[in-house]
Amino acid sequence: MKYPEIAFEPFFTWVNRPRILYAPGVRKEIGFEMSQLGGTRVALFTDRGLVNAGVAEMVISEVKNSVLELAGVFDGVLQDARIEVINAGAAFYRSVKADCLIAVGGGSVMDTAKAVNIMIGSGDQDFQPLADQAGLWEGAKPLAPHIAFPTTAGTGCEITSAMVVLDTKAKAKLSVTHPYCNADLAMLDPELTFKLPPKITAFTGMDALTHAIEAALSTGAEPIVDALSLHAIRLIFKYLPVVVREPENSEARGNVMLASTMAAMGFGNTMTGAVHALAHALGALYGIPHGLANAIMLPHVMTFNIIDERSEKFRMIADAMGIEVGQMDPRTAAEAAVAAVKQLLATIGLTETLKDFAVPTDRDALQPLVELAAADGQIGYNPRYVEEEDIITLYQQAH
């Protein structure tokens, strides 16, 4: 297709602080890289599933074989970064007298590590007051040396300066930002994702796709995010079905991992939209994993967002998905893009709906979800204004 000229605001900002290293097996460089950052005594954060699967050991052994000293391993991270676990993680870091940290895991582990590092830097004992502030930018200073190894390809948490934490008492997911909370170095090693089960591979990949699509359609989108998001969409449509089918295909794993990071670079600067707002509420109240909640809601919100003002963007997204859009009018191309997302979900085996998680359809019973989604900070970046009535309809359509 011939790319259209897309208007954008004459002023915008762009930031991407972390350095990125990519290679199959790049974990072998951990000793040199952490030493360059000034770290000597490592606290490693992960979860029990990755320990049992032997994935954490793939990094732990490289730490032990290096000039670094392993102060200890905190493997108590649970699904979603929880404030009580963050507090325990910070206490652990202090108890083992670490001077740097390594995160090995998916979004929950990496977000927990970010929050722990903020507490180490601030000297706080409880993350709750910091989470309540949401933006921790005033007086923020660089934190302890921090390297992240993502073991899923979806969240992009290794490079974003924000984290999502679960307040279990309030049953709400809170977005918190800090200019130095992301890793100083993101080490992208696709071999760490080989043991990821097909279903988790599928929904984390759909998380990355949602980031890319929502970033491109965001009210804050600009040319840099367009470039990153559209290429991320190309890679995900080409390689996600391959990695679900062939989990140890290094080339495909690497391409999906790079797509996840590129999508995160985009949404980290432009935010996302209604899919994320509705998914955050589903995670907080019904425990649906974030990537899966995004996968369920994505085609419904895309359909809601098919409006004339963003039609050329939808056409570019359809083109990135591999659709021959040559003679299609923008609306037809947009509808084809939604159909392609549904086909991708079927191909990778994600057939769940909200019914599978006992999410109600009754309007009164949906109200707690609606209130959380309407208050979510991401919803304001959706290309089409979302009323509470729209949120109810979208949840009902996804049932």
Side-chain angles (χ1 to χ4, degrees), residues 43 95 104 109 133 148 163 201 221 233 313 338:
S95 71
V104 180
V109 170
Q133 293 178 53
M163 72 213 78
T201 298
I233 292 168
K313 271 292 182 69
V338 175

Side-chain angles (χ1 to χ4, degrees), residues 137-153:
W137 291 69
E138 186 174 347
K141 297 177 181 176
L143 304 173
H146 174 189
I147 291 177
F149 287 92
T151 59
T152 62

Side-chain angles (χ1 to χ4, degrees), residues 282 285-288 296 352-362 365-366 369 395 398-399:
L282 290 167
L285 296 185
Y286 290 90
I288 304 176
I296 293 171
E352 287 98 330
T353 70
L354 296 187
K355 183 190 300 182
D356 299 303
F357 298 92
V359 177
T361 55
D362 176 75
L366 281 173
L369 276 175
Y395 280 136
H399 205 265

Side-chain angles (χ1 to χ4, degrees), residues 263-278:
M265 291 167 74
F267 90 81
N269 282 274
T270 62
M271 302 302 163
T272 54
V275 180
H276 272 73
L278 273 64

Side-chain angles (χ1 to χ4, degrees), residues 12-30:
F12 64 84
T13 64
W14 182 266
V15 62
N16 262 115
R17 191 179 69 88
R19 179 171 161 244
I20 296 169
L21 273 182
Y22 170 85
V26 74
R27 61 189 181 278
K28 298 182 190 309
E29 304 299 323
I30 185 64

Side-chain angles (χ1 to χ4, degrees), residues 42 213 240 255 309 369 377:
V42 174
I213 292 174
L240 183 57
N255 275 289
E309 288 82 351
L369 276 175

